[in-house]
């Protein structure tokens, strides 16, 4: 059995699930870009904040909710992906599959 999650952990996971559900509402050609955008945002924010810094996490949750509300709008059909995000994804995929980059 996995350990119980705190209220803050459950909020972060709920926000991540909401963001992934938002991706499914976007056109098929744009979904991979939205997915990368969401994954990059959550992974980089996680690395930047200590799990004990509750104030910072609450701030990021508020900011994330507002950002997702914006992206949930039906008028938003696509998003821009930076080269840094593409590089991050490539490095993440390589590390995930146990392949060392040279």
């Amino acid at each position: 059995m996995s350990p119980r999650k705190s209220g803050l952990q459950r909020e972060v996971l709920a926000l991540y699930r909401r963001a992934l559900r938002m991706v499914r509402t976007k056109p098929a050609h744009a979904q991979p870009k939205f997915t990368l955008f969401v994954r990059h945002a959550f992974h980089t924010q996680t690395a930047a904040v200590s799990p004990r810094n509750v104030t910072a996490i609450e701030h990021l949750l508020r900011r994330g909710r507002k950002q997702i509300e914006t992206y949930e709008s039906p008028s938003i059909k696509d998003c821009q992906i930076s080269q840094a995000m593409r590089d991050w994804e490539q490095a993440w995929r390589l590390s995930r599959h146990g392949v060392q980059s040279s």
Side-chain angles (χ1 to χ4, degrees):
M1 187 159 87
S2 64
R4 296 181 79 166
K5 296 190 179 5
S6 72
L8 209 51
Q9 288 171 320
R10 287 194 301 267
E11 284 185 57
V12 171
L13 291 172
L15 185 63
Y16 190 66
R17 283 191 304 271
R18 179 179 171 187
L20 293 177
R21 282 193 299 271
M22 174 272 302
V23 169
R24 292 195 308 255
T25 67
K26 300 305 174 187
H29 68 86
Q31 286 182 10
K33 290 196 279 185
F34 276 102
T35 301
L36 174 56
F37 179 81
V38 168
R39 286 182 48 238
H40 179 266
F42 273 85
H43 282 272
T44 55
Q45 297 298 327
T46 300
V49 176
S50 166
R52 298 192 189 282
N53 192 345
V54 174
T55 305
I57 294 169
E58 289 172 341
H59 168 73
L60 290 171
L61 281 168
R62 283 191 303 274
R63 198 172 79 183
R65 283 186 197 106
K66 287 180 184 179
Q67 194 171 20
I68 290 172
E69 285 173 12
T70 301
Y71 282 110
E72 284 174 334
S73 169
S75 63
I76 306 289
K77 304 272 188 222
D78 206 350
C79 68
Q80 291 289 338
I81 300 300
S82 69
Q83 187 60 44
M85 288 180 186
R86 288 187 178 103
D87 294 344
W88 172 85
E89 180 183 37
Q90 185 177 14
W92 181 82
R93 287 182 189 274
L94 289 174
S95 69
R96 186 171 166 221
H97 294 300
V99 178
Q100 296 295 324
S101 59
S102 48

